[in-house]
Amino acid sequence: SKALTYGQAGLDFIIQTLEDNSEPVRWAAYSLLKERAEPRVQQVLQRHLPSISPGEIDCTRLGGLLAVGNWKEADRETAAILLKASGGESAGILKLKHIESLSPKFLGTINHLWFGCSNGQFGLDIQASIWQSLGGHADADYQIWYRFCDRIGWRTNNFWVPYDHLTFSLEAPKGHLPFLPIGGF
């Protein structure tokens, strides 16, 4: 972040790091550049977004939405990608069996995009960590599920938060996104 204090030279340096061999370095550069409005920066981000295609699923659009902080549209894109990748698209409902059928590499890609672009605020690993900290496991009861949803802000005062009232910003509770409507919730 200190590089940005050096004006154009610092900005050029950060742009160059988008080509670094280290994924954490590239994500750090994304997180510094994603908020910038300059057309040149936005063009560079679009050109350097990871084009990861497990099978026929391309995550480029998701990466672009996340890089510019369009959290709501990125959330919708994530659900669409997961439905398509898991074969649940025809039913329109994401079920646990669909998620379990996905490769760890593919889920890791989704997670890295969310985690990297949100500065560690959102992502599947964050959600998994919170779930496990509450005693969550595959056969967990509804009380654990409710505590999990309370913690990440999907429920408030024992009421489900409507989708349009979720917090689509970095002010949301840690792990709030992506919202995965498992089982049609």
Side-chain angles (χ1 to χ4, degrees):
S1 62
K2 281 187 176 182
L4 291 176
T5 64
Y6 292 96
Q8 189 62 43
L11 183 61
D12 290 342
F13 173 75
I14 293 172
I15 289 171
Q16 287 175 352
T17 62
L18 290 170
E19 296 179 15
D20 196 274
N21 289 333
S22 168
E23 187 174 0
V25 170
R26 289 191 309 268
W27 283 120
Y30 276 118
S31 68
L32 290 171
L33 296 173
K34 69 181 180 181
E35 307 279 330
R36 300 190 65 101
E38 297 101 318
R40 173 180 170 242
V41 172
Q42 292 303 311
Q43 288 173 347
V44 167
L45 284 177
Q46 289 298 319
R47 202 171 53 244
H48 283 86
L49 283 171
S51 180
I52 302 162
S53 303
E56 295 182 26
I57 309 300
D58 185 357
C59 296
T60 305
R61 182 171 187 272
L62 174 60
L65 292 167
L66 290 167
V68 297
N70 189 340
W71 307 112
K72 188 171 190 176
E73 194 58 35
D75 186 65
R76 290 181 174 154
E77 179 71 7
T78 300
I81 286 172
L82 291 174
L83 280 169
K84 185 174 183 182
S86 67
E89 193 173 28
S90 61
I93 295 174
L94 190 62
K95 295 187 177 183
L96 191 54
K97 70 178 183 178
H98 295 134
I99 294 173
E100 290 171 341
S101 73
L102 297 170
S103 77
K105 182 178 180 182
F106 176 68
L107 290 173
T109 296
I110 300 292
N111 180 62
H112 284 303
L113 287 169
W114 275 97
F115 187 84
C117 290
S118 70
N119 299 322
Q121 180 72 9
F122 304 135
L124 303 174
D125 281 351
I126 298 288
Q127 292 173 342
S129 175
I130 293 168
W131 173 253
Q132 291 166 353
S133 76
L134 296 170
H137 52 82
D139 297 322
D141 62 23
Y142 280 107
Q143 294 307 312
I144 292 175
W145 174 246
Y146 293 153
R147 284 199 313 262
F148 171 76
C149 293
D150 290 342
R151 171 83 64 86
I152 64 173
W154 293 354
R155 269 179 27 124
T156 305
N157 299 321
N158 294 322
F159 290 99
W160 295 106
V161 175
Y163 183 79
D164 286 335
H165 292 112
L166 293 175
T167 306
F168 293 101
S169 74
L170 292 176
E171 282 75 46
K174 195 168 192 89
H176 191 66
L177 297 172
F179 174 77
L180 301 178
I182 298 172
F185 163 71

